[in-house]
């Protein structure tokens, strides 16, 4: 359709028509166009910087197909090489070290290992601190690595030491506040064994007998007040080459009188000097020495026992 035909077709419209119609350009012009180009340029620069930073991080962190840096992802799990620090809690099932190196857990304060049940309740805790190592659990056990034998176990009721020999190396020995039940106590070779109760009495009991043996040394029993050797059904047997009883009172006997006594360690000068003495016993168990003469002086033991 030509222009003239268009004008003739629109003559029926009552609105006046201009002779030269106005045309509006389509597009972005002016300051809008400049702003658009600026934003596009800024986006391009941002993308380039982001890509460069990503490449730099990949290079610095040593990202590979197997993992990142010292972290390697294997079929068996995750493998860390070198020193690793964790700032947040770490949840793992098992932690193993390499076959040729130990596993070291290090902290500036303490290392705590917790065990919880399916309800999240704490069932066991092991804390390694600067001052002490604490374990909180129902039962604590130490087993041998080769046989699995229980070497030490402790719970609320008892403490069991399963080793063949318990050795105390302290200079002060071992102090027990209550009774001790053991079948054998001995000292190291060339060392003395000393059983001592500083303020109380020392009692050794056994249903079938108590044996004290010093194979290469002396046996010494010392007490402050009295030493009792008592046998309720059997006898007390002293078997030795020489039996010495020191600090026993010495009694003297003279033929002129029935009996005379002296507290000195030797007979009086009036009686003849004696070199052989008799050991006499009183009915109450006390012992005394009496010079041996023609007749036994132990027959007149009534007066001597009162004196001794």
């Amino acid at each position: 359709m030509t222009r003239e035909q268009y004008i003739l077709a629109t003559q029926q419209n009552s609105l006046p028509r201009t002779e030269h119609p106005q045309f509006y350009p389509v597009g972005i012009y002016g300051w809008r166009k400049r702003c658009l180009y600026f934003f596009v340029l800024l986006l391009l620069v941002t993308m380039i910087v982001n890509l460069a930073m990503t490449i730099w991080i990949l290079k610095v962190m040593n990202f590979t197909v197997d993992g990142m840096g010292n972290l390697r992802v294997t079929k068996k799990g995750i493998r860390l090489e070198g020193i690793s620090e964790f700032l947040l809690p770490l949840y793992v099932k098992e932690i193993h070290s390499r076959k040729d190196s130990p596993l070291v857990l290090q902290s500036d304060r303490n290392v705590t290992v917790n065990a919880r049940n399916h309800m999240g309740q704490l069932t066991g805790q092991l804390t390694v601190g600067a001052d002490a190592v604490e374990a909180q659990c129902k039962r604590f056990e130490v087993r041998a690595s080769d046989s699995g034998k229980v070497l030490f176990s402790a719970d609320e009721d008892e403490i069991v030491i399963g080793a063949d020999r318990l050795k105390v190396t302290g200079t002060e020995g071992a102090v027990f506040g209550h009774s001790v039940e053991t079948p054998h106590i001995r000292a190291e070779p060339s060392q003395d064994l000393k059983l001592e109760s500083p303020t109380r009495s020392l009692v050794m009991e056994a249903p079938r007998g108590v044996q004290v043996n010093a194979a290469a040394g002396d046996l010494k029993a010392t007490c402050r007040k009295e030493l009792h050797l008592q046998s309720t059904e059997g006898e007390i047997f002293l078997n030795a080459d020489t039996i010495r009883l020191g600090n026993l009172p010495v009694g003297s006997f003279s033929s002129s009188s029935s009996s005379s006594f002296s507290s000195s360690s030797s007979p009086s000068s009036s009686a003849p000097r004696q070199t052989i003495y008799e050991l006499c016993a009183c009915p109450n168990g006390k012992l005394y020495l009496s010079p041996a003469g023609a007749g036994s002086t132990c027959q007149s033991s009534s007066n001597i026992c009162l004196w001794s």
Side-chain angles (χ1 to χ4, degrees):
M1 180 183 295
T2 61
R3 182 178 181 183
E4 289 77 9
Q5 293 176 353
Y6 176 76
I7 293 174
L8 293 174
T10 58
Q11 285 181 356
Q12 297 179 0
N13 194 352
S14 60
L15 294 177
R17 298 294 182 179
T18 57
E19 186 177 358
H20 301 284
Q22 297 180 359
F23 297 95
Y24 296 96
V26 179
I28 300 176
Y29 298 96
W31 62 272
R32 294 184 180 87
K33 184 177 181 180
R34 289 191 294 270
C35 289
L36 179 60
Y37 287 163
F38 174 76
F39 285 121
V40 172
L41 181 61
L42 181 61
L43 180 60
L44 182 61
V45 173
T46 304
M47 291 177 61
I48 295 174
V49 173
N50 191 10
L51 181 60
M53 292 294 293
T54 303
I55 297 174
W56 179 76
I57 292 174
L58 291 175
K59 184 177 180 181
V60 171
M61 299 299 293
N62 194 15
F63 275 95
T64 59
V65 180
D66 298 332
M68 175 187 67
N70 295 331
L71 180 64
R72 296 289 183 269
V73 180
T74 61
K75 296 181 180 180
K76 297 181 180 180
I78 298 176
R79 179 177 179 180
L80 288 174
E81 297 179 357
I83 301 175
S84 302
E85 297 182 2
F86 300 93
L87 303 179
L88 296 177
L90 177 64
Y91 299 94
V92 296
K93 184 178 180 181
E94 295 182 1
I95 299 177
H96 298 276
S97 64
R98 295 188 303 179
K99 296 182 179 180
D100 56 348
S101 62
L103 176 63
V104 179
L105 301 178
Q106 183 176 356
S107 175
D108 293 337
R109 295 185 179 179
N110 54 38
V111 177
T112 303
V113 181
N114 295 331
R116 301 180 182 274
N117 56 11
H118 63 282
M119 300 179 61
Q121 298 177 353
L122 184 64
T123 57
Q125 185 181 65
L126 178 63
T127 302
V128 181
D131 298 331
V133 178
E134 299 180 358
Q136 298 180 5
C137 55
K138 294 182 179 180
R139 183 178 178 85
F140 180 77
E141 292 185 356
V142 178
R143 295 180 177 270
S145 59
D146 50 354
S147 61
K149 179 182 178 182
V150 178
L151 301 179
F152 178 84
S153 65
D155 54 15
E156 295 181 357
D157 299 330
E158 63 179 0
I159 296 177
V160 179
I161 299 176
D164 296 335
R165 181 176 62 177
L166 174 62
K167 184 177 181 181
V168 180
T169 59
T171 56
E172 297 296 332
V175 179
F176 300 96
H178 299 281
S179 61
V180 179
E181 182 178 353
T182 176
H184 190 193
I185 298 177
R186 70 173 183 178
E188 288 292 327
S190 70
Q191 298 293 331
D192 295 335
L193 176 62
K194 185 177 182 181
L195 302 178
E196 181 181 4
S197 179
T199 58
R200 299 287 182 178
S201 59
L202 180 61
V203 179
M204 293 186 294
E205 296 180 353
R208 300 185 61 180
V210 177
Q211 181 179 1
V212 182
N213 184 16
D218 299 333
L219 178 62
K220 182 178 180 182
T222 305
C223 64
R224 183 176 179 83
K225 292 183 178 181
E226 296 179 356
L227 177 63
H228 295 274
L229 299 177
Q230 182 180 1
S231 177
T232 57
E233 297 181 0
E235 62 180 359
I236 298 176
F237 180 68
L238 301 178
N239 184 10
D241 296 338
T242 302
I243 298 177
R244 296 182 180 181
L245 301 176
N247 298 327
L248 292 178
V250 179
S252 60
F253 176 78
S254 177
S255 60
S256 60
S257 59
S258 61
S259 61
S260 62
F261 312 101
S262 175
S263 59
S264 60
S265 60
S266 62
S268 60
S269 59
S270 60
R273 184 176 181 85
Q274 301 289 338
T275 57
I276 299 176
Y277 297 90
E278 290 180 339
L279 178 63
C280 302
C282 297
N284 58 0
K286 294 183 179 181
L287 302 178
Y288 67 94
L289 294 178
S290 180
S296 176
T297 59
C298 291
Q299 300 296 331
S300 59
S301 61
S302 59
N303 295 330
I304 296 178
C305 290
L306 293 176
W307 169 80
S308 59

